[in-house]
Amino acid sequence: MLAGKHIILGITGGIAAYKSVMLLRLLIKKGAEVQVIITPSGKEFITPVTLSALSGKPVISEFFTANTGEWHSHVDLGLWADAMVIAPATACTIAKMACGVADNMLVTSYLSAKAPVFVAPAMDLDMMAHPSTKRNLETLRSYGNHIIEPASGELASHLVGKGRMEEPENIVKVLEDFFCTAKPLAGKKMLITAGPTYERIDPVRFIGNFSTGKMGYAIADAAARMGAEVTLVSGPVSIAPEERSVNVVKVESAREMCDACTERFQDTDIAIMCAAVADYAPAHTYSTKIKREKDEVPVITLVKNPDIAATLGRQKHPGQILVGFALETDHEEANAKLKLDSKNLDMIVLNSLRDPQAGFGTDTNKITIITAKGSAMDFPVKSKTEVAKDILHAIVDL
Ligand code: C5P
């Protein structure tokens, strides 16, 4: 599983650095190519000579090699890596990672890394339990990093509690599990729309809707985890994808979303139209705020927005898959089938607003997947993360 994988092993200044030697040996034994980056204080605990002898590569610690002036490119390293493992991760490095304090080669490379990042904290129990450490770990988690929780036991201070770096064998297992997860969408380019669109009336007002983008973002994350190269064209939302590889293109209006999608569609294998696109936009956007008049009520004339799914449906060529959503309040299945045909979709995901656990803002959804070939499949209420997987598996089956 790890054979041929490029792994950056980041080592920071904690007693548990001695365990990193064993971790390095195990990774090399599994056939991985390992580049060690050690922080300046990490070198107080373990010598670069040991690490370079085991990895077969010079250990990187500084931005430059002192005697030659050779620059170590954190950007190239970030792109080279299939995974980055920071073990041990001290409270200090975790805090720097959470805040983006790039004052050493390790944190700088972390900020440039496109690959998944695994963090194995190691510290004294009180440091581990401190609210700032907890919050920093939560922040790292929210950025999509994988935290390998420390174990409880006797610590270097002889105190007993949570803070022992996970054993090297178990860290290797976490990596193996990660890489062995099936990647059925590897090599596929995906375009996903998400969130609402805002149609400007004047500089402070718009026509919008209640979409939060949760479903589209969950699909983008799940698709990236299944190996796809994902572009997420998103209307205004307050969430971010968990997977760092997801390329987010932010737009505001339906017209901007349509342009962003048509520009990219030719180069797309699978497009999923999950956005709640406004059907109409004001015919005119005022450049200054509309004033409240005493007697007159302003009239806003609307014009039709482009139907993005239908536009892509007309451009679709054989081999491309186009998936739409239908949010219906009545005659759900019949309406969904009509949309499937009229927009030239290959599949439509139906969710009904009648269901209290489906629709805007909820963390759950209940869907029926209808394909152009005529099959219809009902799913029970599930979390949006699980629903995303169901939708993607149905696409893989197509
Ligand atoms: O026709 P209706 O809006 O119900 O269709 C919903 C589907 O069409 C969704 O997949 C939605 O993302 C897409 N859509 C679109 N552009 C529009 C309206 C809807 O892509 N202007």
Side-chain angles (χ1 to χ4, degrees):
M1 230 71 73
L2 295 179
K5 289 279 184 277
H6 293 171
I7 295 177
I8 294 177
L9 173 58
I11 302 177
T12 70
I15 305 277
Y18 77 92
K19 287 190 186 175
S20 309
V21 178
M22 192 45 99
L23 176 58
L24 173 58
R25 254 183 69 80
L26 289 173
L27 290 171
I28 297 284
K29 258 186 157 171
K30 297 275 181 185
E33 226 182 286
V34 185
Q35 175 62 61
V36 176
I37 306 181
I38 191 164
T39 60
S41 58
K43 286 191 284 190
E44 307 286 335
F45 291 85
I46 185 109
T47 87
V49 179
T50 312
L51 299 164
S52 65
L54 285 173
S55 65
K57 288 180 192 297
V59 169
I60 297 176
S61 182
E62 315 297 337
F63 291 105
F64 296 92
T65 302
N67 51 352
T68 62
E70 185 198 351
W71 181 57
H72 299 129
S73 167
H74 53 90
V75 176
D76 289 350
L77 265 177
L79 294 175
W80 171 84
D82 295 307
M84 183 169 191
V85 189
I86 299 165
T90 55
C92 174
T93 290
I94 289 168
K96 285 184 185 176
M97 288 165 71
C99 299
V101 180
D103 69 344
N104 64 37
M105 192 60 192
L106 178 52
V107 182
T108 310
S109 302
Y110 158 72
L111 292 178
S112 300
K114 287 271 178 208
V117 178
F118 296 81
V119 181
M123 64 198 78
D124 220 23
L125 74 165
D126 296 318
M127 294 173 84
M128 189 69 207
H130 195 280
S132 64
T133 308
K134 283 184 171 168
R135 198 189 49 215
N136 288 333
L137 283 170
E138 240 1 275
T139 302
L140 291 187
R141 222 178 247 122
S142 75
Y143 295 156
N145 299 299
H146 305 260
I147 309 299
I148 304 174
E149 287 292 334
S152 290
E154 189 179 345
L155 304 166
S157 59
H158 300 301
L159 294 171
V160 176
K162 187 174 173 180
R164 277 169 70 102
M165 185 178 100
E166 185 52 281
E167 295 306 321
E169 293 79 5
N170 293 340
I171 295 178
V172 169
K173 177 128 188 13
V174 170
L175 288 173
E176 283 183 326
D177 285 351
F178 178 83
F179 282 115
C180 99
T181 314
K183 301 251 186 270
L185 291 172
K188 298 290 176 207
K189 290 191 174 155
M190 289 187 64
L191 178 67
I192 299 168
T193 64
T197 62
Y198 285 1
E199 313 298 329
R200 282 180 187 238
I201 299 169
D202 69 12
V204 291
R205 304 177 179 99
F206 60 86
I207 297 174
N209 59 66
F210 293 121
S211 170
T212 55
K214 281 183 183 172
M215 192 64 248
Y217 276 65
I219 296 175
D221 280 330
R225 285 179 201 124
M226 286 163 80
E229 197 181 304
V230 181
T231 300
L232 177 63
V233 179
S234 172
V237 294
S238 56
I239 55 175
E242 288 179 4
E243 293 300 316
R244 284 155 60 111
S245 66
V246 172
N247 171 30
V248 183
V249 178
K250 291 202 167 158
V251 295
E252 187 179 276
S253 66
R255 195 151 281 286
E256 285 171 14
M257 187 175 273
C258 192
D259 290 345
C261 288
T262 47
E263 237 171 66
R264 292 167 174 84
F265 187 57
Q266 281 310 305
D267 197 27
T268 295
D269 298 301
I270 302 159
I272 306 180
M273 303 287 100
C274 197
V277 185
D279 292 318
Y280 304 99
H284 173 73
T285 302
Y286 291 82
S287 57
T288 52
K289 189 178 167 194
I290 303 171
K291 298 274 179 307
R292 187 166 25 159
E293 301 290 345
K294 263 204 184 115
D295 306 315
E296 269 180 59
V297 176
V299 174
I300 298 167
T301 309
L302 300 177
V303 289
K304 255 191 169 176
N305 269 334
D307 186 320
I308 305 166
T311 307
L312 301 190
R314 285 192 291 275
Q315 296 174 357
K316 193 172 70 168
H317 55 71
Q320 284 184 303
I321 292 179
L322 181 59
V323 178
F325 270 71
L327 184 66
E328 302 293 332
T329 52
D330 59 299
H331 302 103
E332 289 92 338
E333 212 158 314
N335 283 335
K337 279 183 183 150
L338 277 178
K339 271 175 203 168
L340 184 93
D341 288 340
S342 65
K343 297 182 195 230
N344 193 23
L345 306 175
D346 299 282
M347 181 190 277
I348 193 153
V349 181
L350 165 66
N351 37 33
S352 166
L353 264 191
R354 279 194 214 183
D355 211 307
Q357 287 158 305
F360 293 132
T362 58
D363 288 321
T364 53
N365 205 354
K366 184 175 183 316
I367 59 162
T368 303
I369 293 181
I370 304 170
T371 68
K373 289 182 184 145
S375 70
M377 207 174 359
D378 287 320
F379 292 83
V381 173
K382 294 186 181 190
S383 70
K384 284 188 171 164
T385 308
E386 290 304 313
V387 171
K389 286 190 207 158
D390 288 339
I391 294 168
L392 292 169
H393 284 133
I395 292 172
V396 171
D397 286 347
L398 274 190

